[in-house]
Amino acid sequence: MKHLLSTRDLARDDAIRILDIAEDMSEVSTREVKKLPALRGKTVVNLFFEDSTRTRISFEAAAKRLSADVINFSAKGSSVSKGESLKDTAQTLAAMGADGVVIRHPASGAPQVLAQSDWIDAGVVNAGDGTHEHPTQALLDAFTMRRRIHGTASRGKALDGVSVVIVGDILHSRVARSNLWLLRTLGAEVTFVAPATLVPVGADTWPATVSFDLDATLAAVRPDVLMMLRIQSERMNAAYFPNAREYSRQWGLDDERLALLGPDSIVMHPGPMNRGLEISAGAADSAQSTVLEQVANGVSIRMAVLYLLLSGEREAHA
Ligand code: NCD
């Protein structure tokens, strides 16, 4: 594996391998000395053209736990705000000897452009591009589901037959897209629930069921996993629903809906949460919520991905 740009082209065996390596990495994170020498002497650049806290620090922690040197480059306050192009930025990073580039960009496809260019020969990890994909988020979500469902017997397992309901702002969500492809590859069933205005054109061709009615879906599907998505106001240039109260009433996870879920169902959210809008505080903090596990597992998944992309194996392919 040279780059990780999307979950769409990830083979089932490769996906399971990443999850299994992340299991090993999570053991490292429980040690007193949380460090492996695997990427000593390598340089990882976090290239963030969009605001982010948890994803950036998660990649930073992952790279540092593998002993890589980390350079954080955020577009605000950099030459990018002076009009420097992606090409010039990439060539600058190449001249500095970057081995890996973790890129978040508001334009869908930017990581692909970087990976396919001859500006830089680094391994590229997509950390979220526009509304397109966010592959490490989907991998950490799958890892979290697998652990809750299979426990200590997770290694080697997929998610066959697991029912996952993903609710909310599908239109703007790269998390929803990356999850769809990966979950299907791992054998799970996916249902999207959203107001019609937040379902993208073309979703009817996706390998998922689309519904506009949360209560009917919860009653019919009785999901193993209920994933709530953030309302992405920063990407909204129009009114997609009447108001916040109405949204919560119809599509939010409130305490009554939480009580209707089976005791083994889990509640997920990629963060950052709008408490009181798409998820109530009670649901977010409940025993069924995996929100903090997702954050912890994110470091293990990113360690696994950086390890696969940047450790010795990569030179053999070059
Ligand atoms: C997600 C993202 O940026 O796509 N968040 C994240 O990675 N922490 C989801 C979101 O912003 O709603």
Side-chain angles (χ1 to χ4, degrees):
M1 201 163 85
K2 170 142 195 203
H3 308 292
L4 178 65
L5 303 174
S6 156
T7 56
R8 200 167 183 164
D9 45 14
L10 209 54
R12 182 172 160 115
D13 286 352
D14 290 335
I16 292 174
R17 180 151 169 258
I18 297 172
L19 302 184
D20 288 351
I21 294 176
E23 286 286 350
D24 300 336
M25 297 302 178
S26 86
E27 280 167 24
V28 174
S29 302
T30 62
R31 293 184 198 161
E32 193 173 323
V33 179
K34 302 181 182 53
K35 225 164 163 119
L36 289 177
L39 299 185
R40 197 157 56 194
K42 306 272 179 176
T43 300
V44 175
V45 178
N46 278 326
L47 184 57
F48 277 64
F49 294 91
E50 216 182 66
D51 289 339
S52 162
T53 349
R54 81 193 63 214
T55 303
R56 190 186 58 70
I57 62 176
S58 179
F59 272 106
E60 183 172 351
K64 287 184 168 162
R65 282 183 196 175
L66 294 171
S67 308
D69 293 319
V70 182
I71 298 174
N72 287 313
F73 183 117
S74 76
K76 265 189 205 132
S78 74
S79 303
V80 171
S81 56
K82 299 180 188 161
E84 189 177 57
S85 68
L86 184 57
K87 176 176 174 175
D88 288 325
T89 305
Q91 287 178 327
T92 302
L93 300 178
M96 287 180 185
D99 299 289
V101 177
V102 175
I103 175 172
R104 170 166 286 198
H105 200 285
S108 299
Q112 190 93 29
V113 170
L114 191 63
Q116 283 168 354
S117 74
D118 54 10
W119 308 328
I120 186 166
D121 182 38
V124 176
V125 182
N126 179 1
D129 61 328
T131 60
H132 177 229
E133 285 229 28
H134 191 357
T136 57
Q137 179 71 44
L139 285 161
L140 76 87
D141 289 338
F143 182 91
T144 304
M145 292 177 209
R146 196 175 78 152
R147 267 214 172 161
R148 278 271 182 143
I149 292 165
H150 299 297
T152 50
S154 286
R155 262 173 233 271
K157 298 243 168 70
L159 296 171
D160 294 300
V162 172
S163 62
V164 182
V165 171
I166 302 179
V167 186
D169 188 355
I170 314 291
L171 179 65
H172 299 103
S173 181
R174 52 200 178 202
V175 175
R177 287 167 181 76
S178 282
N179 260 290
L180 172 63
W181 309 123
L182 182 63
L183 287 169
R184 294 298 296 148
T185 298
L186 293 174
E189 302 294 332
V190 179
T191 305
F192 287 126
V193 185
T197 47
L198 290 176
V199 175
V201 174
D204 53 338
T205 65
W206 288 353
T209 306
V210 177
S211 158
F212 309 117
D213 186 333
L214 180 57
D215 287 320
T217 301
L218 293 181
V221 177
R222 309 210 120 273
D224 300 304
V225 178
L226 180 59
M227 184 185 294
M228 307 307 295
L229 298 173
R230 185 174 64 90
I231 288 293
Q232 303 196 25
S233 319
E234 78 279 15
R235 295 189 206 278
M236 295 190 185
N237 50 12
Y240 287 90
F241 46 86
N243 56 53
R245 244 178 87 109
E246 183 62 13
Y247 182 87
S248 305
R249 206 179 60 73
Q250 288 206 53
W251 294 284
L253 178 58
D254 56 18
D255 299 350
E256 289 92 87
R257 289 188 177 116
L258 178 72
L260 292 175
L261 291 178
D264 294 328
S265 305
I266 63 172
V267 171
M268 307 184 76
H269 192 299
M273 293 184 278
N274 295 305
R275 284 173 184 255
L277 180 54
E278 71 264 1
I279 188 165
S280 67
D285 299 332
S286 69
Q288 280 153 289
S289 162
T290 62
V291 172
L292 293 176
E293 280 162 59
Q294 288 169 268
V295 175
N297 293 340
V299 178
S300 306
I301 282 290
R302 288 163 181 137
M303 287 173 78
V305 169
L306 291 173
Y307 174 78
L308 281 168
L309 259 51
L310 304 179
S311 68
E313 285 183 47
R314 183 173 134 68
E315 265 118 75
H317 289 285

